[in-house]
mmCIF file of all heavy atoms in Angstrom:
data_model
loop_
_atom_site.group_PDB
_atom_site.id
_atom_site.type_symbol
_atom_site.label_atom_id
_atom_site.label_comp_id
_atom_site.label_asym_id
_atom_site.label_seq_id
_atom_site.Cartn_x
_atom_site.Cartn_y
_atom_site.Cartn_z
ATOM 1 N N PRO A 8 95.459 60.857 65.137
ATOM 2 C CA PRO A 8 96.643 60.137 64.725
ATOM 3 C C PRO A 8 97.381 60.800 63.564
ATOM 4 O O PRO A 8 96.764 61.470 62.676
ATOM 5 C CB PRO A 8 96.142 58.819 64.321
ATOM 6 C CG PRO A 8 94.667 59.026 64.023
ATOM 7 C CD PRO A 8 94.225 60.227 64.844
ATOM 8 N N GLU A 9 98.637 60.422 63.456
ATOM 9 C CA GLU A 9 99.502 61.001 62.389
ATOM 10 C C GLU A 9 99.433 59.959 61.160
ATOM 11 O O GLU A 9 99.985 58.867 61.372
ATOM 12 C CB GLU A 9 100.955 61.213 62.823
ATOM 13 C CG GLU A 9 101.942 61.588 61.786
ATOM 14 C CD GLU A 9 101.476 62.956 61.137
ATOM 15 O OE1 GLU A 9 101.289 63.932 61.816
ATOM 16 O OE2 GLU A 9 101.309 62.902 59.960
ATOM 17 N N LEU A 10 98.774 60.363 60.054
ATOM 18 C CA LEU A 10 98.578 59.412 59.053
ATOM 19 C C LEU A 10 99.371 59.696 57.790
ATOM 20 O O LEU A 10 99.100 58.979 56.729
ATOM 21 C CB LEU A 10 97.108 59.375 58.675
ATOM 22 C CG LEU A 10 96.101 59.023 59.822
ATOM 23 C CD1 LEU A 10 94.646 59.125 59.403
ATOM 24 C CD2 LEU A 10 96.440 57.621 60.327
ATOM 25 N N ARG A 11 100.248 60.648 57.766
ATOM 26 C CA ARG A 11 100.902 60.993 56.580
ATOM 27 C C ARG A 11 101.695 59.826 55.940
ATOM 28 O O ARG A 11 101.890 59.756 54.729
ATOM 29 C CB ARG A 11 101.888 62.197 56.758
ATOM 30 C CG ARG A 11 101.224 63.509 56.835
ATOM 31 C CD ARG A 11 102.235 64.581 57.040
ATOM 32 N NE ARG A 11 102.409 64.728 58.430
ATOM 33 C CZ ARG A 11 103.327 65.503 58.964
ATOM 34 N NH1 ARG A 11 104.053 66.182 58.226
ATOM 35 N NH2 ARG A 11 103.426 65.561 60.356
ATOM 36 N N GLY A 12 102.238 58.913 56.730
ATOM 37 C CA GLY A 12 103.049 57.785 56.217
ATOM 38 C C GLY A 12 102.304 56.824 55.428
ATOM 39 O O GLY A 12 102.829 55.990 54.706
ATOM 40 N N LEU A 13 101.013 56.891 55.465
ATOM 41 C CA LEU A 13 100.139 56.021 54.609
ATOM 42 C C LEU A 13 100.040 56.391 53.145
ATOM 43 O O LEU A 13 99.686 55.523 52.410
ATOM 44 C CB LEU A 13 98.730 55.986 55.237
ATOM 45 C CG LEU A 13 98.561 55.349 56.639
ATOM 46 C CD1 LEU A 13 97.188 55.719 57.188
ATOM 47 C CD2 LEU A 13 98.910 53.864 56.560
ATOM 48 N N SER A 14 100.430 57.487 52.832
ATOM 49 C CA SER A 14 100.169 58.105 51.517
ATOM 50 C C SER A 14 100.914 57.345 50.386
ATOM 51 O O SER A 14 100.489 57.423 49.232
ATOM 52 C CB SER A 14 100.406 59.544 51.302
ATOM 53 O OG SER A 14 101.778 59.772 51.715
ATOM 54 N N GLN A 15 102.005 56.650 50.712
ATOM 55 C CA GLN A 15 102.823 56.015 49.673
ATOM 56 C C GLN A 15 102.048 54.881 49.033
ATOM 57 O O GLN A 15 102.120 54.623 47.853
ATOM 58 C CB GLN A 15 104.076 55.463 50.236
ATOM 59 C CG GLN A 15 104.997 54.863 49.270
ATOM 60 C CD GLN A 15 106.337 54.412 49.860
ATOM 61 O OE1 GLN A 15 106.710 54.801 50.971
ATOM 62 N NE2 GLN A 15 107.022 53.573 49.188
ATOM 63 N N ASP A 16 101.331 54.074 49.779
ATOM 64 C CA ASP A 16 100.640 52.873 49.322
ATOM 65 C C ASP A 16 99.151 52.894 49.388
ATOM 66 O O ASP A 16 98.477 51.986 48.899
ATOM 67 C CB ASP A 16 101.163 51.540 50.062
ATOM 68 C CG ASP A 16 102.571 51.285 49.620
ATOM 69 O OD1 ASP A 16 102.973 51.550 48.499
ATOM 70 O OD2 ASP A 16 103.393 50.824 50.491
ATOM 71 N N PHE A 17 98.580 53.892 49.980
ATOM 72 C CA PHE A 17 97.151 53.982 50.320
ATOM 73 C C PHE A 17 96.586 55.410 50.032
ATOM 74 O O PHE A 17 97.237 56.429 50.211
ATOM 75 C CB PHE A 17 96.884 53.631 51.829
ATOM 76 C CG PHE A 17 97.334 52.334 52.180
ATOM 77 C CD1 PHE A 17 98.605 52.162 52.719
ATOM 78 C CD2 PHE A 17 96.609 51.186 52.002
ATOM 79 C CE1 PHE A 17 99.091 50.913 53.130
ATOM 80 C CE2 PHE A 17 97.022 49.971 52.403
ATOM 81 C CZ PHE A 17 98.270 49.856 52.925
ATOM 82 N N GLU A 18 95.305 55.350 49.621
ATOM 83 C CA GLU A 18 94.544 56.572 49.514
ATOM 84 C C GLU A 18 93.742 56.652 50.756
ATOM 85 O O GLU A 18 92.996 55.743 50.997
ATOM 86 C CB GLU A 18 93.710 56.582 48.191
ATOM 87 C CG GLU A 18 92.796 57.765 48.101
ATOM 88 C CD GLU A 18 91.824 57.724 46.950
ATOM 89 O OE1 GLU A 18 92.065 56.859 46.017
ATOM 90 O OE2 GLU A 18 90.913 58.468 46.868
ATOM 91 N N TRP A 19 93.855 57.780 51.481
ATOM 92 C CA TRP A 19 93.061 57.943 52.649
ATOM 93 C C TRP A 19 91.616 58.393 52.245
ATOM 94 O O TRP A 19 91.489 59.270 51.430
ATOM 95 C CB TRP A 19 93.611 59.059 53.555
ATOM 96 C CG TRP A 19 92.877 59.369 54.728
ATOM 97 C CD1 TRP A 19 92.752 58.752 55.910
ATOM 98 C CD2 TRP A 19 92.059 60.586 54.794
ATOM 99 N NE1 TRP A 19 91.865 59.369 56.703
ATOM 100 C CE2 TRP A 19 91.460 60.567 56.138
ATOM 101 C CE3 TRP A 19 91.722 61.650 53.925
ATOM 102 C CZ2 TRP A 19 90.533 61.543 56.597
ATOM 103 C CZ3 TRP A 19 90.853 62.614 54.520
ATOM 104 C CH2 TRP A 19 90.365 62.589 55.706
ATOM 105 N N LEU A 20 90.590 57.655 52.724
ATOM 106 C CA LEU A 20 89.244 57.933 52.366
ATOM 107 C C LEU A 20 88.547 58.764 53.449
ATOM 108 O O LEU A 20 88.007 59.777 53.168
ATOM 109 C CB LEU A 20 88.532 56.644 52.058
ATOM 110 C CG LEU A 20 89.018 55.721 50.907
ATOM 111 C CD1 LEU A 20 88.248 54.474 50.888
ATOM 112 C CD2 LEU A 20 89.031 56.510 49.657
ATOM 113 N N ASP A 21 88.589 58.322 54.629
ATOM 114 C CA ASP A 21 88.080 59.059 55.777
ATOM 115 C C ASP A 21 88.438 58.459 57.080
ATOM 116 O O ASP A 21 88.924 57.318 57.139
ATOM 117 C CB ASP A 21 86.503 59.245 55.761
ATOM 118 C CG ASP A 21 85.740 57.971 55.847
ATOM 119 O OD1 ASP A 21 86.098 57.134 56.668
ATOM 120 O OD2 ASP A 21 84.783 57.791 55.066
ATOM 121 N N THR A 22 88.154 59.277 58.135
ATOM 122 C CA THR A 22 88.469 58.788 59.500
ATOM 123 C C THR A 22 87.291 59.133 60.363
ATOM 124 O O THR A 22 86.751 60.349 60.310
ATOM 125 C CB THR A 22 89.744 59.376 60.089
ATOM 126 O OG1 THR A 22 90.799 59.029 59.251
ATOM 127 C CG2 THR A 22 89.993 58.916 61.480
ATOM 128 N N GLN A 23 86.791 58.276 61.167
ATOM 129 C CA GLN A 23 85.669 58.495 62.183
ATOM 130 C C GLN A 23 86.340 58.299 63.567
ATOM 131 O O GLN A 23 87.050 57.310 63.748
ATOM 132 C CB GLN A 23 84.506 57.560 61.889
ATOM 133 C CG GLN A 23 83.863 57.809 60.638
ATOM 134 C CD GLN A 23 82.651 56.758 60.386
ATOM 135 O OE1 GLN A 23 82.633 55.788 61.100
ATOM 136 N NE2 GLN A 23 81.938 56.960 59.427
ATOM 137 N N THR A 24 85.979 59.094 64.384
ATOM 138 C CA THR A 24 86.336 59.066 65.828
ATOM 139 C C THR A 24 85.175 58.671 66.764
ATOM 140 O O THR A 24 84.170 59.273 66.684
ATOM 141 C CB THR A 24 86.923 60.352 66.356
ATOM 142 O OG1 THR A 24 87.897 60.794 65.423
ATOM 143 C CG2 THR A 24 87.514 60.233 67.743
ATOM 144 N N VAL A 25 85.345 57.609 67.494
ATOM 145 C CA VAL A 25 84.286 57.082 68.356
ATOM 146 C C VAL A 25 84.784 56.872 69.744
ATOM 147 O O VAL A 25 85.931 56.375 69.922
ATOM 148 C CB VAL A 25 83.738 55.708 67.790
ATOM 149 C CG1 VAL A 25 82.633 55.142 68.644
ATOM 150 C CG2 VAL A 25 83.351 55.896 66.305
ATOM 151 N N THR A 26 83.995 57.210 70.728
ATOM 152 C CA THR A 26 84.356 56.898 72.175
ATOM 153 C C THR A 26 83.533 55.646 72.487
ATOM 154 O O THR A 26 82.289 55.598 72.313
ATOM 155 C CB THR A 26 83.982 58.032 73.093
ATOM 156 O OG1 THR A 26 84.691 59.183 72.695
ATOM 157 C CG2 THR A 26 84.356 57.630 74.489
ATOM 158 N N VAL A 27 84.209 54.634 72.849
ATOM 159 C CA VAL A 27 83.616 53.240 73.196
ATOM 160 C C VAL A 27 83.630 53.071 74.676
ATOM 161 O O VAL A 27 84.664 53.218 75.289
ATOM 162 C CB VAL A 27 84.337 52.202 72.392
ATOM 163 C CG1 VAL A 27 83.675 50.832 72.627
ATOM 164 C CG2 VAL A 27 84.504 52.472 70.876
ATOM 165 N N SER A 28 82.519 52.580 75.243
ATOM 166 C CA SER A 28 82.528 52.269 76.578
ATOM 167 C C SER A 28 81.924 50.780 76.747
ATOM 168 O O SER A 28 81.061 50.376 75.981
ATOM 169 C CB SER A 28 81.490 53.191 77.415
ATOM 170 O OG SER A 28 82.037 54.516 77.447
ATOM 171 N N ARG A 29 82.442 50.077 77.669
ATOM 172 C CA ARG A 29 82.023 48.685 77.930
ATOM 173 C C ARG A 29 81.856 48.572 79.463
ATOM 174 O O ARG A 29 82.695 48.876 80.221
ATOM 175 C CB ARG A 29 82.997 47.745 77.470
ATOM 176 C CG ARG A 29 82.521 46.279 77.682
ATOM 177 C CD ARG A 29 83.468 45.252 77.066
ATOM 178 N NE ARG A 29 84.831 45.398 77.356
ATOM 179 C CZ ARG A 29 85.826 44.982 76.714
ATOM 180 N NH1 ARG A 29 85.602 44.307 75.588
ATOM 181 N NH2 ARG A 29 87.049 45.151 77.041
ATOM 182 N N TYR A 30 80.650 48.025 79.869
ATOM 183 C CA TYR A 30 80.454 47.703 81.240
ATOM 184 C C TYR A 30 80.421 46.287 81.397
ATOM 185 O O TYR A 30 79.708 45.506 80.688
ATOM 186 C CB TYR A 30 79.015 48.318 81.666
ATOM 187 C CG TYR A 30 78.985 49.813 81.463
ATOM 188 C CD1 TYR A 30 78.553 50.390 80.340
ATOM 189 C CD2 TYR A 30 79.360 50.599 82.521
ATOM 190 C CE1 TYR A 30 78.481 51.772 80.189
ATOM 191 C CE2 TYR A 30 79.286 51.992 82.405
ATOM 192 C CZ TYR A 30 78.851 52.581 81.225
ATOM 193 O OH TYR A 30 78.778 53.924 81.127
ATOM 194 N N ARG A 31 81.188 45.820 82.338
ATOM 195 C CA ARG A 31 81.366 44.381 82.631
ATOM 196 C C ARG A 31 81.589 44.192 84.158
ATOM 197 O O ARG A 31 82.523 44.638 84.659
ATOM 198 C CB ARG A 31 82.506 43.794 81.839
ATOM 199 C CG ARG A 31 82.521 42.266 81.846
ATOM 200 C CD ARG A 31 83.714 41.668 81.035
ATOM 201 N NE ARG A 31 83.385 41.741 79.559
ATOM 202 C CZ ARG A 31 84.175 41.423 78.627
ATOM 203 N NH1 ARG A 31 85.392 41.079 79.011
ATOM 204 N NH2 ARG A 31 83.900 41.530 77.401
ATOM 205 N N THR A 32 80.688 43.345 84.739
ATOM 206 C CA THR A 32 80.708 43.054 86.166
ATOM 207 C C THR A 32 81.054 44.253 86.980
ATOM 208 O O THR A 32 82.024 44.234 87.805
ATOM 209 C CB THR A 32 81.697 41.933 86.369
ATOM 210 O OG1 THR A 32 83.037 42.339 86.036
ATOM 211 C CG2 THR A 32 81.319 40.641 85.709
ATOM 212 N N GLY A 33 80.323 45.292 86.799
ATOM 213 C CA GLY A 33 80.446 46.478 87.650
ATOM 214 C C GLY A 33 81.602 47.480 87.311
ATOM 215 O O GLY A 33 81.816 48.505 87.982
ATOM 216 N N GLU A 34 82.384 47.048 86.180
ATOM 217 C CA GLU A 34 83.472 47.918 85.847
ATOM 218 C C GLU A 34 83.205 48.613 84.501
ATOM 219 O O GLU A 34 82.646 48.012 83.635
ATOM 220 C CB GLU A 34 84.795 47.116 85.665
ATOM 221 C CG GLU A 34 85.489 46.651 86.939
ATOM 222 C CD GLU A 34 86.767 46.031 86.716
ATOM 223 O OE1 GLU A 34 87.677 46.507 85.877
ATOM 224 O OE2 GLU A 34 87.089 44.988 87.248
ATOM 225 N N LYS A 35 83.586 49.790 84.341
ATOM 226 C CA LYS A 35 83.424 50.536 83.160
ATOM 227 C C LYS A 35 84.718 50.735 82.527
ATOM 228 O O LYS A 35 85.754 51.242 83.142
ATOM 229 C CB LYS A 35 82.767 51.923 83.398
ATOM 230 C CG LYS A 35 82.632 52.653 82.201
ATOM 231 C CD LYS A 35 82.040 54.109 82.560
ATOM 232 C CE LYS A 35 81.986 54.995 81.326
ATOM 233 N NZ LYS A 35 81.538 56.322 81.568
ATOM 234 N N LYS A 36 84.952 50.423 81.256
ATOM 235 C CA LYS A 36 86.191 50.672 80.506
ATOM 236 C C LYS A 36 85.715 51.540 79.280
ATOM 237 O O LYS A 36 84.814 51.298 78.575
ATOM 238 C CB LYS A 36 86.774 49.342 79.993
ATOM 239 C CG LYS A 36 88.029 49.534 79.296
ATOM 240 C CD LYS A 36 88.711 48.223 78.781
ATOM 241 C CE LYS A 36 89.884 48.562 78.074
ATOM 242 N NZ LYS A 36 90.532 47.464 77.405
ATOM 243 N N THR A 37 86.578 52.618 79.034
ATOM 244 C CA THR A 37 86.339 53.608 78.035
ATOM 245 C C THR A 37 87.560 53.829 77.220
ATOM 246 O O THR A 37 88.603 53.859 77.810
ATOM 247 C CB THR A 37 85.767 54.888 78.524
ATOM 248 O OG1 THR A 37 84.632 54.615 79.369
ATOM 249 C CG2 THR A 37 85.303 55.770 77.408
ATOM 250 N N TRP A 38 87.445 53.814 75.932
ATOM 251 C CA TRP A 38 88.568 54.071 75.094
ATOM 252 C C TRP A 38 88.177 54.849 73.798
ATOM 253 O O TRP A 38 86.978 54.956 73.497
ATOM 254 C CB TRP A 38 89.310 52.803 74.784
ATOM 255 C CG TRP A 38 88.637 51.751 73.933
ATOM 256 C CD1 TRP A 38 88.568 51.658 72.527
ATOM 257 C CD2 TRP A 38 87.629 50.793 74.424
ATOM 258 N NE1 TRP A 38 87.844 50.616 72.150
ATOM 259 C CE2 TRP A 38 87.217 50.154 73.254
ATOM 260 C CE3 TRP A 38 87.255 50.381 75.625
ATOM 261 C CZ2 TRP A 38 86.328 49.011 73.374
ATOM 262 C CZ3 TRP A 38 86.271 49.351 75.703
ATOM 263 C CH2 TRP A 38 85.881 48.613 74.620
ATOM 264 N N LEU A 39 89.095 55.393 73.117
ATOM 265 C CA LEU A 39 88.876 56.163 71.942
ATOM 266 C C LEU A 39 89.365 55.345 70.782
ATOM 267 O O LEU A 39 90.391 54.656 70.763
ATOM 268 C CB LEU A 39 89.774 57.424 71.958
ATOM 269 C CG LEU A 39 89.548 58.531 71.055
ATOM 270 C CD1 LEU A 39 88.180 59.092 71.151
ATOM 271 C CD2 LEU A 39 90.614 59.667 71.301
ATOM 272 N N ARG A 40 88.417 55.290 69.740
ATOM 273 C CA ARG A 40 88.644 54.486 68.568
ATOM 274 C C ARG A 40 88.565 55.339 67.287
ATOM 275 O O ARG A 40 87.663 56.109 67.129
ATOM 276 C CB ARG A 40 87.711 53.340 68.399
ATOM 277 C CG ARG A 40 87.798 52.577 67.137
ATOM 278 C CD ARG A 40 86.721 51.555 66.916
ATOM 279 N NE ARG A 40 86.850 50.511 67.870
ATOM 280 C CZ ARG A 40 86.017 49.620 68.112
ATOM 281 N NH1 ARG A 40 84.779 49.610 67.569
ATOM 282 N NH2 ARG A 40 86.266 48.550 68.956
ATOM 283 N N TRP A 41 89.591 55.278 66.427
ATOM 284 C CA TRP A 41 89.558 55.910 65.164
ATOM 285 C C TRP A 41 89.314 54.726 64.166
ATOM 286 O O TRP A 41 89.977 53.789 64.109
ATOM 287 C CB TRP A 41 90.857 56.685 64.796
ATOM 288 C CG TRP A 41 91.160 57.856 65.569
ATOM 289 C CD1 TRP A 41 90.578 59.116 65.393
ATOM 290 C CD2 TRP A 41 91.903 58.004 66.807
ATOM 291 N NE1 TRP A 41 90.992 59.934 66.307
ATOM 292 C CE2 TRP A 41 91.837 59.219 67.160
ATOM 293 C CE3 TRP A 41 92.666 57.010 67.475
ATOM 294 C CZ2 TRP A 41 92.501 59.726 68.313
ATOM 295 C CZ3 TRP A 41 93.373 57.491 68.671
ATOM 296 C CH2 TRP A 41 93.246 58.811 69.023
#
């Protein structure tokens, strides 16, 4: 993600990237989370 706009009011500490998967009633949903 583009985070440059946050610098005016926030100090950026860190970012973690996680791939999340959820299985529900035979369906798999996967998404990317920062």
Side-chain angles (χ1 to χ4, degrees):
E9 177 59 55
L10 302 175
R11 280 184 276 173
L13 295 167
S14 63
Q15 182 177 347
D16 291 324
F17 300 94
E18 177 185 345
W19 173 79
L20 301 174
D21 64 43
T22 301
Q23 297 175 349
T24 306
V25 181
T26 301
V27 182
S28 294
R29 178 175 53 202
Y30 298 91
R31 189 181 283 173
T32 61
E34 283 188 50
K35 177 183 175 186
K36 181 178 178 188
T37 304
W38 64 95
L39 192 59
R40 173 186 290 167
W41 290 277

